[in-house]
Amino acid sequence: MKIQESAEDYLESILILKQKKGAVRSIDIVHYLAFSKPSVSRAMSLLRENGYIQMAKEGWIELTDAGREIAERIYERHRLLSQWLMKLGVPEEIAVKDACRIEHDISSETFEKLKEHIYGE
């Protein structure tokens, strides 16, 4: 299942914020991603329509199983690729930005081989 890169970024952000804060609202995503309120509102509406999130009447956002699966996959890629690039000597700021680009485009097969190589599995 392929979803848009921006949707993956939103889902990953919700997962990270949930881990940090315990609960997430749209305004938290606005601040975290430095996006406008209307942009985040529209994205949350689309994610909800597509079954990736649920929103409570009070505004709390929860990932569905499908949303969590995507968010965890992207976040794992982000962490591994960032760390790997930094070990290669890439400055952290650049490594994080590059990992964010790579994490969306790399195939599952290539990522698994990279993981095996990095972790020596």
Side-chain angles (χ1 to χ4, degrees):
M1 167 184 43
K2 180 72 174 150
I3 67 169
Q4 289 188 351
E5 182 177 324
S6 61
E8 290 176 339
D9 284 338
Y10 278 110
L11 294 170
E12 180 185 23
S13 297
I14 293 166
L15 178 69
I16 291 167
L17 289 167
K18 179 90 171 153
Q19 290 174 350
K20 287 182 180 180
K21 299 175 62 117
V24 182
R25 288 185 172 195
S26 292
I27 194 67
D28 301 317
I29 299 165
V30 166
H31 294 137
Y32 183 76
L33 293 174
F35 290 171
S36 71
K37 287 180 186 179
S39 294
V40 172
S41 179
R42 178 70 180 137
M44 293 305 105
S45 185
L46 290 171
L47 291 173
R48 189 176 62 246
E49 288 171 16
N50 287 298
Y52 297 120
I53 65 168
Q54 293 177 335
M55 292 184 75
K57 290 179 184 175
E58 301 82 20
W60 300 112
I61 299 168
E62 291 289 338
L63 294 167
T64 62
D65 289 342
R68 183 175 296 102
E69 182 181 318
I70 293 166
E72 287 175 350
R73 176 176 48 84
I74 294 299
Y75 191 42
E76 177 190 23
R77 290 173 176 215
H78 182 85
R79 289 189 325 260
L80 182 128
L81 292 166
S82 295
Q83 292 168 1
W84 181 56
L85 291 170
M86 287 185 285
K87 282 184 182 179
L88 292 174
V90 177
E92 183 176 0
E93 185 177 331
I94 294 170
V96 168
K97 285 181 183 177
D98 287 346
C100 196
R101 290 184 191 114
I102 297 167
E103 69 193 23
H104 300 287
D105 293 325
I106 193 169
S107 71
S108 296
E109 293 82 3
T110 299
F111 180 73
E112 288 304 315
K113 291 298 180 186
L114 265 176
K115 204 161 73 168
E116 287 173 20
H117 176 76
I118 292 167
Y119 293 134
E121 297 174 355

